[in-house]
Amino acid sequence: MTINGGISFWYATTRNARNTPDAPPRAPLTTDTTADVVIVGGGYTGLWTAYYLKRAAPDLRITVLEQKFCGYGASGRNGGWLYNGIAGRDRYAALHGHQAARRLQHAMNETVTEVIDVAAKERIDADIHRGGVLEVARTPAQLGRLKAFHAHELAFGETDRELHDAAATRARIDIADAVGSSWSPHGARIHPLKLVKGLAAAVEALGVVIHESTPVTEIAPRRAVTPYGTVRAPYVLRCTEGFTASLKGQRRSWLPMNSSMIVTAPLPPSTWDRLGWSDSTLLGDMAHAYMYAQRTADDRIAIGGRGVPYRFGSRTDNDGRTQPATVSALTTLLTAFFPQLTGTEITHAWSGVLGVPRDWCATVTLDRTSGLGWAGGYVGSGVATANLAARTLRDLVLGESTELTALPWVNHRVRRWEPEPFRWLGVQALYAAYREADRRETATHRPTTTPLARLADRISGRH
């Protein structure tokens, strides 16, 4: 029987980063207080920012405010892809030049190693295995996009990327109907919640104060307001990603896009031998409604994609419960890739939200006049991007001009999303178009991307 919700599989099966009984919940805020920096959000962005600030300036008084518990949001529900993708790179190239965007990509490549190194330094056991990322094409149209994508990545300096034909792809992972793939070494499998729990413990050990069960209702210059008190600080950093819309005045800033996952029961060695999936390589595809998957440390397949992409009014769920139709669709996707897994037990299903700006560009911003800063809009690539954003926020808060503060995503501004019902109607129509485009490309086997998908890309701002 599939466990549906319960935050995520990662949460349901993990007690804490060292697999010992959980510590009691961290105390909520109980009164007005002050700090040098107050960080709103106890996920990757907020915790990494606290970590790097405290390492650089140990005397800083830093407070983290989290509405539920650390890892409640995307940081504890994602697909465990620590990789070098960043949202908006092509737009930054158009705005600031190719070399500026290339520097941003190089920083992301290095960020994968940075996260792995810090996890080792802080003795955070997050099931990290660096097997790279394999992105596969299963139709002629996908193959055309794959080759263009591969060439594009090479142009941004990823010269260690490899292009594989159908036979070489199957030698890496035996995927049904695979016609080609692109492999990058800049990726690692992680257990998302083990990383966030270990990071929270490391941050507390440095002297950072974390208040859980403390929802922030309003962020204003030099203060964060909660039902239990106000924290005043020269710097207030918003690190709320997909939950940003719940803050006063932020309803249309970033759209909370929904993503869903399922995970199988542990698979026996004989099955893994047939699949050929031996190196814990991350797996994605070139469909318009794309998928992402990993081989977990306990030999399951966790696979995700879009279910119900958006809830009216930028609403978010409470516990990750997923519609049965989405669970069925993801199960069908799993067996389309791996027919030999037909009938395999699906033990868990869950959903979560990620932050999507109107122009699909991740950003880092600090206004020194008001003391307000924020980072996010990762569009699903936040496991590594949050680390780069945090190091950049550190330098901005400390007033240092560095290579990171000169990257083109710093202080980038985007327009707001359309009001309802246009926002809901638009997102529903776009993802219906992407699903129909995938269906047509699979049915016709034409070598070019369907015009429907190209139109959806232009309307959405994805490309």
Side-chain angles (χ1 to χ4, degrees), residues 38-85:
V38 57
I39 296 169
V40 181
Y44 290 144
T45 306
L47 293 174
W48 278 124
T49 301
Y51 176 84
Y52 286 111
L53 275 171
K54 197 67 172 175
R55 282 287 187 191
D59 292 337
L60 281 179
R61 295 174 303 138
I62 301 172
T63 296
V64 176
L65 303 176
E66 165 54 43
Q67 68 164 332
K68 297 285 188 179
F69 52 83
C70 292
Y72 171 78
S75 299
R77 306 192 198 193
N78 65 79
W81 273 46
L82 176 66
Y83 86 121
N84 67 337

Side-chain angles (χ1 to χ4, degrees), residues 156-222:
F156 279 95
E158 199 177 337
T159 55
D160 44 6
R161 178 176 283 273
E162 299 174 5
L163 184 66
H164 299 308
D165 61 13
T169 300
R170 288 193 298 271
R172 280 190 174 272
I173 305 176
D174 189 11
I175 300 163
D177 301 321
V179 292
S181 63
S182 179
W183 177 82
S184 167
H186 301 290
R189 182 273 317 279
I190 69 163
H191 187 299
L193 195 61
K194 286 185 178 181
L195 177 60
V196 76
K197 285 193 170 189
L199 184 56
V203 162
E204 282 190 309
L206 292 174
V208 173
V209 175
I210 301 175
H211 290 296
E212 295 181 325
S213 302
T214 306
V216 173
T217 56
E218 182 182 359
I219 292 173
R222 297 178 177 81

Side-chain angles (χ1 to χ4, degrees), residues 92 95-96 104 237 254 359 361-376 389 392-393 395-397 400-401 404-415:
Y92 288 129
L95 291 172
H96 302 280
L104 180 59
L237 307 181
W254 292 339
D359 66 355
C361 288
T363 57
V364 181
T365 296
L366 179 68
D367 180 354
R368 299 194 69 83
T369 301
S370 66
L372 295 176
W374 59 87
T392 306
L393 276 176
D395 293 349
L396 291 170
V397 168
E400 299 177 355
S401 295
L404 298 184
T405 62
L407 292 174
W409 69 331
V410 174
N411 294 328
H412 175 75
R413 299 297 179 100
V414 302
R415 67 183 176 92

